[in-house]
Each structure stands twice: as C-alpha cells, then as structure tokens.
Amino acid sequence: MDARPHIARKGRGAIGNPDGRFEREARVATFDGWETGDGWETGAEDEPARLRTTLTAETSRRIIARNDSPDIPFDQSINPYRGCEHGCVYCYARPSHSYMGLSPGLDFETRLFFKPDAPSLLEKELRRPGYRCSVIALGSNTDPYQPVERELKLTRRIVEVLAAFNHPLTIVTKSALVARDIDLLAPMAERRLAQVFLSVTTLDRDLARKMEPRAATPPRRLETIRRLTDAGIPCGVMAAPMIPGLNDSELEAILEASSSAGATDAGYVLLRLPHELKDLFREWLDAHAPHRARHVLSLVAQSRGGRLNDPEFGSRMRGEGPYALALAHRFKLACRRLGFSRPSHAMRGSRLDTSAFMAPPRCGDQLALF
C-alpha cells in the first residue's frame, strides 16, 4: 500500500494530520484503492472530504501569560484561543497542539479551544494588589481575530476590560475583523494605549490562499491598515514570515504597500520550523510548490546552521549566514527609504503609556481619600 497522495483540502492549510510528538504511536494514512472512510468520499479520489471546525470551552485559572525571553519584545500576553482556523501552514504555534494530545496538522486548524472566562479572569488579575502594568500583547501565539471571534467576541471583551483599566496593549493579526473594534481602539489610541500590527506575508492572492487559506486577503489587510490609521490608531506591518525562495522577493513591495496604506512601523521574521512543523511544511511544499521545495528548504537550512530550526535566542528570529544577513540588510534599507521609525523596536510598544493604569471603582468600594 502507498502513502496518501499530497492532496490539499479546500480551505485548509495543512495537508496531513500526523500524530503529535508526545504520542506513543505514529499512524500513517495509506492509499489502498478503497476511497471510503478516513475523511475520503466514495469516488472522490482527487479530493478529500471537507473538515468542520469544532469548538471546545477550556477552563483556565489565569489568562495572562508571562515570559522573560530576551528576543521577544513583550513580557505579557493573552491568547483567548488555542489553535487557529486561519490555517497558516508555516505557523510556529502548530506544535503546541501536541500538548493537547492532538495533531499540529489539520487538528490545529479544525479543533479549536476557547477560554470563555478570559475577560473576568483578566479583570481579576489586573485588580491584584501586586500587579505591575506593562504592555499586554494580543496575538502572540494564535490570532485573536480569527473567524470564530465574530461570534464569540472574546477578544473584544478583553479589549473592553483593558480600556476600562487604561491598560496599554498591542495587537498582531491577519484579520480585517480588528476594524470592528475601532470604536474601542481609537479612544485608547488617543490616550497612547493601543497599537496594531497587520501581518502581511505576501501580496500574491493565489499564494496567500494556499499558505493561509482562511485569513483575510492581502488587499483587505492593507485596507485594514488604512482604516485603522484613518481612525488615529497607530499601525505597523509584520512581513512575517519571510520564506526563502517563496515570498522573500516581495519584502520591499510589502513594506512599500503597507507604508502607502499608512503603516508607520515594520518588522519581519525569518521562517523557522520547530518540531512537527518541519514535516508539515515539507509536505505542503510537495503539494503546492514541488519544483521549489528542495531550494526553499536548502536556503532555510543555510540560515539555521544546517538545520531547519534554530531555537537559540537572538538568532531564531533572524537567522545567520549570508542569506539571512542579506535579508536583514534589505529590510534595513527599505525601512530607511520608506521612513519607518525605529523598526527594531516596532513590537515593543515603547510609545505606549503605562502610567495611566488604574483599576476602575466597583460598587461598594471604599472611596479614595485624595
């Protein structure tokens, strides 16, 4: 029996659904001529069945995640969702689904978890006597404005809590849905409490549809930058990830288009392929860009010390070697030409105000003496 052919499901990024790295058994789908079961329709040899998205509520004790990584420009973040329906095949968060006993492949984009108590947990944490205000990042792991947010509105309720506490936040998203919350973000921006970054990976709609099938199209992301900036909300662009031999030639064009739309800050990240993501991305290349697969992976390895992932602080985001240095130089020159300010600090929220933080009074609270 042969392994399943590399056939993509419509509207999904990953090709397969391999077992996570913590599982004791590894299952491989095979093709034996019987096109029934295992997600395949009878007689539909050329296209597997569509997978539905499922949602599961998750109970949490706390909602603010903290880190002390020296190459991450924030120390506090909130992720109201696990998994992401955008289906970006390159997403570094995919391996985290293995901790749930699920696959980083199709499970990651179809079996989602949400935290219904996130807003109330956030308010509770912000009211702790020892809490110290520092910028909170939304979208550090999975997109806070992915499609399910339209109905659940968890991210909006989190922003409402932060606005009530005068707490600064940054948002990173690929979704035009963030514009829904302009009514909250614009007043926060006036008080130097909000900054938004749109992730623009490519300007090629066909490539975007294959790499990130349920994210907003590139033109919609640029239009969202324009809408946010017109509303007075400082907005930046993340050209991330840059994939050698696939979308890296678009770096300057992405920055130029974003600048024209009103973006004032910029950042980029070189593709990294931790854990199961290596095989998932290789499988995607075999299905969508077989003539480029070997070249792409070779350039990644050349920038990662001969491996497809470099976990070291400092080099994991930018890479090393001639290709990585050339990409960094191109980015620096483009930012200088386009007038992007302090691109190396774009994600640090350095212009945001942490001094205005204050817990709003609740009914029954003792009034302040002064």
Side-chain angles (χ1 to χ4, degrees):
M1 293 186 293
D2 299 322
R4 285 286 191 202
H6 297 290
I7 299 177
R9 285 176 166 84
K10 186 175 182 180
R12 299 299 181 185
I15 305 298
N17 204 39
D19 294 293
R21 62 190 181 280
F22 302 117
E23 303 306 308
R24 294 184 177 182
E25 298 178 351
R27 293 165 293 175
V28 178
T30 59
F31 186 81
D32 59 4
W34 294 85
E35 284 78 28
T36 59
D38 195 27
W40 287 67
E41 302 270 319
T42 301
E45 302 157 20
D46 58 341
E47 184 177 346
R50 294 190 182 186
L51 297 176
R52 292 186 177 182
T53 301
T54 64
L55 290 172
T56 302
E58 183 178 67
T59 301
S60 303
R61 298 179 64 184
R62 294 194 175 186
I63 193 62
I64 299 178
R66 293 175 172 83
N67 79 85
D68 56 2
S69 301
D71 59 352
I72 294 180
F74 53 84
D75 56 18
Q76 297 196 126
S77 61
I78 296 176
N79 291 288
Y81 303 104
R82 288 182 188 265
C84 185
E85 199 175 6
H86 282 161
C88 305
V89 69
Y90 50 73
C91 181
Y92 62 84
R94 282 183 176 271
S96 64
H97 242 45
S98 295
Y99 292 105
M100 312 294 289
L102 298 173
S103 172
L106 290 167
D107 281 350
F108 178 80
E109 51 195 279
T110 60
R111 300 180 66 175
L112 310 180
F113 298 82
F114 68 100
K115 303 172 184 177
D117 297 331
S120 59
L121 288 172
L122 175 59
E123 180 168 356
K124 182 179 179 180
E125 290 190 52
L126 296 183
R127 289 188 181 276
R128 292 179 184 272
Y131 178 78
R132 287 189 173 186
C133 179
S134 65
V135 176
I136 286 180
L138 295 181
S140 61
N141 199 44
T142 55
D143 201 307
Y145 284 98
Q146 58 182 286
V148 296
E149 168 64 15
R150 290 188 182 92
E151 289 75 37
L152 297 181
K153 298 183 179 178
L154 275 179
T155 299
R156 179 175 175 85
R157 289 160 56 202
I158 287 170
V159 174
E160 288 174 340
V161 172
L162 294 173
F165 280 77
N166 284 329
H167 197 297
L169 81 156
T170 61
I171 295 171
V172 179
T173 182
K174 290 183 175 73
S175 176
L177 184 60
V178 65
R180 176 200 66 185
D181 295 340
I182 284 178
D183 62 317
L184 297 174
L185 296 171
M188 292 183 73
E190 289 181 2
R191 306 195 301 274
R192 294 174 49 222
L193 297 176
Q195 187 172 19
V196 179
F197 290 83
L198 266 292
S199 176
V200 182
T201 315
T202 177
L203 300 178
D204 183 333
R205 295 183 66 149
D206 184 59
L207 179 58
R209 185 170 59 251
K210 295 174 182 176
M211 283 202 308
E212 38 200 34
R214 298 200 178 194
T217 63
R220 288 197 68 196
R221 294 183 218 182
L222 294 173
E223 177 58 28
T224 301
I225 292 176
R226 186 172 291 107
R227 290 184 62 187
L228 293 170
T229 54
D230 287 349
I233 301 166
C235 197
V237 59
M238 289 297 295
M242 285 288 100
I243 304 174
L246 194 64
N247 70 341
D248 56 338
S249 63
E250 297 186 68
L251 176 60
E252 290 84 357
I254 290 171
L255 297 177
E256 289 171 5
S258 301
S259 177
S260 297
T264 56
D265 290 299
Y268 84 99
V269 175
L270 181 64
L271 176 72
R272 55 192 181 102
L273 299 170
H275 302 301
E276 298 95 332
L277 193 53
K278 300 179 185 68
D279 292 332
L280 287 167
F281 189 71
R282 184 183 287 111
E283 188 177 41
W284 181 90
L285 284 172
D286 288 340
H288 292 291
H291 57 294
R292 296 190 188 186
R294 181 177 298 181
H295 181 57
V296 170
L297 294 176
S298 174
L299 288 174
V300 173
Q302 291 174 41
S303 304
R304 300 293 186 188
R307 299 171 293 174
L308 294 180
N309 182 54
D310 173 12
E312 297 298 321
F313 293 138
S315 60
R316 60 177 180 166
M317 302 298 184
R318 297 288 184 263
E320 296 178 325
Y323 171 85
L325 290 174
L327 188 66
H329 187 61
R330 288 171 53 198
F331 177 77
K332 183 178 179 180
L333 290 178
C335 287
R336 183 183 301 168
R337 174 170 54 86
L338 296 168
F340 284 120
S341 55
R342 302 183 66 189
S344 61
H345 300 283
M347 292 296 296
R348 297 189 181 277
S350 56
R351 302 185 189 92
L352 301 182
D353 182 15
T354 59
S355 65
F357 172 76
M358 180 180 292
R362 294 172 296 186
C363 181
D365 283 354
Q366 182 176 349
L367 297 177
L369 188 60
F370 299 101

